[in-house]
Amino acid sequence: MKRPLLLFSAVFCFLHLNSTAQVADRTALAKSIRSDSRLDTIQARAIQLLTGFSAGTSYDEVWIRDFNTFIKGSLKIQPKEKVRTMLLMFFKIQGDDGNIVDGVVDSAKANGGYKYRYSALLPGWAAHKNTVETDQEFSLVQAVKKYVDLTGDVSILFERVGAKTILQRMEDSFAYILKDRWSEKYGLVKGATTVDWGDVQPEKGWGVAINEHTKWSVDIYDNAMFVIAINDFLAMKPKAYQTQKDWSALAATIKANVRKHLWMSEAQKYRPHLYLNGSPFSKTFDEDKILYSGGSVCAVLAGFNTKKEVENINRQLLAAASKEKHATIGFTVYPPYPESEFPNMLPYSYQNGGDWTWFGGRMIKGLVDYGLVKEAYAELIPMVDRAIARKGFYEWYNVQTGEPKGSGDFRGEAGVLFDAVESLRQWAAKN
């Protein structure tokens, strides 16, 4: 009888020591996060920039896909009434079919070449919709959820804009997607073909508007964003509120269809596109080899993957970044599309292989959510160090030269870095 007791004691000691070591590791990591002055610096600089609502100081427009990513930081420095007013503007100029615009701008500055729309509910303002995107509706709902969570102001949900409440208008935006941006073949959201989360079509010309050359496709980014928005809507609506549709069932269906049609299990990555009316690329071009970072990050945030799959996705992002001297996990796509396939955007430029902290920074929360905190901290630091060294928040960076590109005061990057630090600090406070 002694041997089983000895074996039990040995196993117990091993488990106890292992558990103790894990606690010590977590404590040390939490201490490092709490004491890292770089995180204080980046949050302080971000807050200084988030006094406005446009995408950056070189832009006149307020774009909802950008605002959604820095609204948390905005609420740290802006009166909640001002933030609320900005959110309501997008509902006041909502389309009759439920669609949400891309951006709003002072009508006196509406000279960007877009097809502008106006509304009697929003005098003095103009708006435009980038029609190759399919994320404006989802971005607005997600932004409202962040606002409600941070302010506790649920009254915005019952605010009437015209004859409808904000709750009704959010559902109308979902209904627009199902009517105008839905693939019955795959049971998934569709949109124009772009690079990952991008807003430009491959063909030469005005790439932000659907035209006779548009190739419709299904991708991971749009569908992940929709599921996040549905979950946000269901989380903030009152229990007694009767929805227009069983949105929870739809979210489950989308997740199942994503796993069926877009997730490539053997490669442990997402397929870039499924085409509905032909591909814009040559028959010899193997697009499935391209890694989409932004869409993959959003899929992680939407809860589409297991922890093991998230680890594999993260390893692939790190491997892609290691290919270029100045890249981080924000490296949009790897390898970039060659010019012959995507003439509207050269390789290693903008969304075709540029490095965007705006999306790389979102992976930090995803990693923290899956318990991969050590990885999250290690992968955030290069982005933080770069922003501090450059003394600004830039839209994107050239991975070959390290040169910053676009607006030097890009609020999207500031907001995402602020949120990334916040997610790490919240974990550290508990550990």
Side-chain angles (χ1 to χ4, degrees), residues 48-282:
Q48 290 174 6
L49 181 58
L50 299 180
T51 53
F53 296 105
S54 66
T57 53
S58 60
Y59 295 102
D60 293 321
E61 297 92 347
V62 179
W63 282 307
I64 189 55
R65 63 182 347 210
D66 298 73
F67 187 29
N68 176 41
T69 61
F70 63 80
I71 188 172
K72 287 184 177 180
S74 293
L75 284 165
K76 291 287 185 180
I77 195 169
Q78 302 256 31
K80 73 174 186 179
E81 294 77 15
K82 197 172 179 180
V83 176
R84 175 188 171 120
T85 296
M86 185 56 63
L87 285 172
L88 291 175
M89 288 173 67
F90 286 90
F91 291 106
K92 289 180 178 179
I93 206 161
Q94 185 175 13
D96 292 337
D97 61 357
N99 83 80
I100 299 299
V101 296
D102 201 37
V104 294
V105 65
D106 185 320
S107 56
K109 298 178 181 179
N111 51 17
Y114 298 99
K115 183 179 179 181
Y116 290 98
R117 80 166 64 156
Y118 300 85
S119 171
L121 296 174
L122 193 62
W125 289 83
H128 59 82
K129 186 174 181 67
N130 178 321
T131 53
V132 304
E133 291 176 29
T134 309
D135 68 349
Q136 299 97 331
E137 293 75 20
F138 316 143
S139 296
L140 181 56
V141 172
Q142 291 173 27
V144 172
K145 174 66 160 52
K146 294 181 179 83
Y147 170 83
V148 171
D149 283 350
L150 288 173
T151 66
D153 179 18
V154 296
S155 69
I156 191 174
L157 303 176
F158 303 97
E159 175 94 8
R160 284 196 173 272
V161 172
K164 297 181 177 181
T165 66
I166 297 305
L167 279 169
Q168 292 170 322
R169 286 184 172 276
M170 286 193 288
E171 285 199 272
D172 285 351
S173 75
F174 290 166
Y176 159 75
I177 294 296
L178 296 181
K179 182 175 182 294
D180 196 74
R181 296 297 176 101
W182 188 253
S183 167
E184 291 293 345
K185 179 179 180 180
Y186 295 109
L188 293 168
V189 178
K190 69 177 183 180
T193 298
T194 64
V195 178
D196 197 4
W197 51 267
D199 55 4
V200 180
Q201 296 181 111
E203 295 82 3
K204 286 284 189 181
W206 189 232
V208 299
I210 288 170
N211 56 40
E212 67 275 14
H213 303 296
T214 296
K215 296 299 184 183
W216 292 94
S217 62
V218 167
D219 67 25
I220 183 57
Y221 169 68
D222 295 337
N223 286 281
M225 287 288 284
F226 194 11
V227 169
I228 293 170
I230 289 174
N231 291 337
D232 281 350
F233 173 78
L234 294 175
M236 64 180 155
K237 79 167 185 65
K239 288 184 178 180
Y241 177 79
Q242 295 296 310
T243 60
Q244 298 173 16
K245 186 179 179 66
D246 187 347
W247 298 114
S248 180
L250 179 64
T253 296
I254 292 173
K255 179 178 179 179
N257 287 335
V258 161
R259 298 289 304 185
K260 179 179 180 181
H261 299 297
L262 290 174
W263 176 249
M264 298 191 293
S265 182
E266 188 173 337
Q268 290 286 285
K269 66 184 287 294
Y270 285 99
R271 176 173 286 110
H273 294 108
L274 289 170
Y275 293 101
L276 305 177
N277 64 328
S279 168
F281 307 119
S282 63

